[in-house]
């Protein structure tokens, strides 16, 4: 299970720049304006063969000084509850501020591993200025320049040293792991309670630490799977915080530790931005998906036209990945709860689908011949052979072509759709690679 590292600090100290540097991306918007980061950024960092997750907590604050400070404190509290390690960023050019000292006080109380990162150190003379940050009581400041990358290698070495050992649970590998995810108050707890019921002896829990996911074994009615329980379901939250940030932080762990994600959407509110954030987490982690539209009992008009409209709206928002089941259910009345479990099990089975090479070529080559990739600059692209890669996390197919660099994304998607038409891949992401013949 990947460790989670949160980057915290007051606005405009360079959190987003460091996030982009660690994840080798440009996902986080960087600007001199304080509070630019509004959406929670999440990515993976690979260093010395070890992968860990990084969250840029950002400043969702409004332009009022009192709200400003209060919101940063909330962000730090949430990060310390959910992360395994905190990178606390300060700015060498502005020096130590009262807000830095407030944040340091919260971090010292948390007992969590913290690395103090002094950013914007662009020359050797500024190293001496960093000594002032010893007053925060968080040890030696690590001097970096996030914008140029100076010092980030040493910082990453220290991150790997301080990260706790990954929690290797004694789980039976063949048993699927289902995670129920969604924004707050969508009915996740009710759904899990409906699954488990009152007969607690069918459940065995494998304990984790407060920040780890808990696995609950469910084995009745012919089902046998682990329910990946999120921290939000296990304990009440002690702070009032930005719900969007909190739900995404909570979802990261349960999504990473699952095979199938059951994404819950509130029928009374429709699909919202927060649902999309969690859906994108599911996609980034290549997890299978079942969408459950909960609270369906509260919808008055429930004819086929309404259902079709709702389904189309969901698939339109989540395109281009649209091949996933949608179930209209109610956790409180237990309407179609059994259907949710059956579908999740089916989607997990689809994830394990393996197509023989001869069968794959027999079906796909005539399709490719009838609809070849468009020619580019007078050059014709020929695909002569394909096969499925063995032992991959999700079904992965390779098509061998003479000019793979000219095969566009649209044609790759066409091949994916044809695979889905011919083999059971419903709810499961698949990879399609084009390689040199």
């Amino acid at each position: 299970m990947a460790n989670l590292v949160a980057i915290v600090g007051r606005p405009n100290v360079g959190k987003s720049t460091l996030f982009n540097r660690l994840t080798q991306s440009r996902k986080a918007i960087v600007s001199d304006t304080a509070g630019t980061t509004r959406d929670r950024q999440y990515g993976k960092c690979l260093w010395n063969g070890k992968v860990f997750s990084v969250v840029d907590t950002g400043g969702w604050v409004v332009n009022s000084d009192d709200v400003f400070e209060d919101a940063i404190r909330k962000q730090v509290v949430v990060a310390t509850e959910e992360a395994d390690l905190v990178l606390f960023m300060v700015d060498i050019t502005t020096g130590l501020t009262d807000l830095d000292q407030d944040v340091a006080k919260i971090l010292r109380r948390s007992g969590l591993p913290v690395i103090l990162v002094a950013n914007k150190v662009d020359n050797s003379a500024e190293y001496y200025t960093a000594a002032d940050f010893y007053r925060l009581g968080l040890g030696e400041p690590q001097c970096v320049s996030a914008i140029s990358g100076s010092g980030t290698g040493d910082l990453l070495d220290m991150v790997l040293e301080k990260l706790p050992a990954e929690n290797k649970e004694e789980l039976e590998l063949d048993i699927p792991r289902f995670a129920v995810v969604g924004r707050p108050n969508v009915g996740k707890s009710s759904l899990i309670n409906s699954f488990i019921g009152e007969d607690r002896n069918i459940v065995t829990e494998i304990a984790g630490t407060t920040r780890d996911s808990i696995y609950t074994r469910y084995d009745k009615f012919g089902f046998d799977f682990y329910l990946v329980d999120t921290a939000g379901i296990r304990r009440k939250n002690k702070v009032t915080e930005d719900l969007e940030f909190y739900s995404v932080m909570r979802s990261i762990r349960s999504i990473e530790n699952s095979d199938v994600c059951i994404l819950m959407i509130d029928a009374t509110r429709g699909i919202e931005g927060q649902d999309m954030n969690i859906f994108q987490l599911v996609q980034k982690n290549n997890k299978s998906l079942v969408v459950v539209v909960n609270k369906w009992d509260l919808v008055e008009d429930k004819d086929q036209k309404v259902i079709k409209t709702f389904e189309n709206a969901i698939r339109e928002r989540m395109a281009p990945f649209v091949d996933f089941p949608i179930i209209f259910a109610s956790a409180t009345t237990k309407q179609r709860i059994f259907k949710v479990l059956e579908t999740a099990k089916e989607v997990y089975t689809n994830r394990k689908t393996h197509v023989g090479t001869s069968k794959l070529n027999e079906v796909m080559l005539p399709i490719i011949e009838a609809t070849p990739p468009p020619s580019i600059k007078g050059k014709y692209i020929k695909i002569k052979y394909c096969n499925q890669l063995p032992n991959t996390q999700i079904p992965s197919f390779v098509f061998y072509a003479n000019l793979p660099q000219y095969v566009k994304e649209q044609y790759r998607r066409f091949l994916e759709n044809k695979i889905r038409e011919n083999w059971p891949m419903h709810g499961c992401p698949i990879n399609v690679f084009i390689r040199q013949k």
Side-chain angles (χ1 to χ4, degrees), residues 111-171:
L112 201 65
V114 177
I115 298 176
L116 180 60
V117 183
N119 190 28
K120 306 183 187 177
V121 179
D122 296 313
N123 57 61
S124 54
E126 289 173 329
Y127 274 83
Y128 301 107
T129 318
D132 194 34
F133 291 107
Y134 274 103
R135 288 197 285 156
L136 293 172
L138 291 170
E140 183 182 352
Q142 293 302 302
C143 296
V144 302
S145 171
I147 201 158
S148 70
S150 166
T152 49
D154 293 338
L155 173 64
L156 283 166
D157 287 339
M158 183 175 266
V159 167
L160 294 194
E161 276 174 35
K162 291 211 170 202
L163 277 177
E166 291 184 14
N167 189 15
K168 291 182 171 54
E169 303 283 9
E170 293 286 325
L171 294 180

Side-chain angles (χ1 to χ4, degrees), residues 34-94:
T36 299
T37 305
R38 304 267 167 179
D39 295 326
R40 300 319 126 224
Q41 295 294 339
Y42 159 79
K44 301 272 191 184
C45 176
L46 170 63
W47 185 252
N48 284 349
K50 177 154 180 171
V51 177
F52 57 89
S53 303
V54 186
V55 180
D56 171 17
T57 54
W60 59 78
V61 252
V62 254
N63 297 322
S64 145
D65 289 341
D66 53 338
V67 181
F68 213 49
E69 297 190 13
D70 190 39
I72 293 165
R73 287 192 194 97
K74 288 175 189 172
Q75 146 194 318
V76 174
V77 170
V78 174
T80 54
E81 283 198 346
E82 296 308 314
D84 295 301
L85 172 72
V86 172
L87 299 181
F88 174 31
M89 289 193 76
V90 289
D91 184 344
I92 200 104
T93 58
T94 55

Side-chain angles (χ1 to χ4, degrees), residues 92-115:
I92 200 104
T93 58
T94 55
L96 191 59
T97 67
D98 292 345
L99 194 48
D100 290 331
Q101 291 183 326
D102 284 354
V103 171
K105 199 183 293 180
I106 297 168
L107 293 174
R108 285 199 303 272
R109 285 198 202 113
S110 74
L112 201 65
V114 177
I115 298 176

Side-chain angles (χ1 to χ4, degrees), residues 7 51 61 102 134 170 190 261 316 330 372 387 403 422 437:
I7 305 173
V51 177
V61 252
D102 284 354
Y134 274 103
E170 293 286 325
S190 303
C261 293
E316 202 174 292
S330 167
N387 71 319
L403 298 164
N422 287 281
K437 187 170 65 177

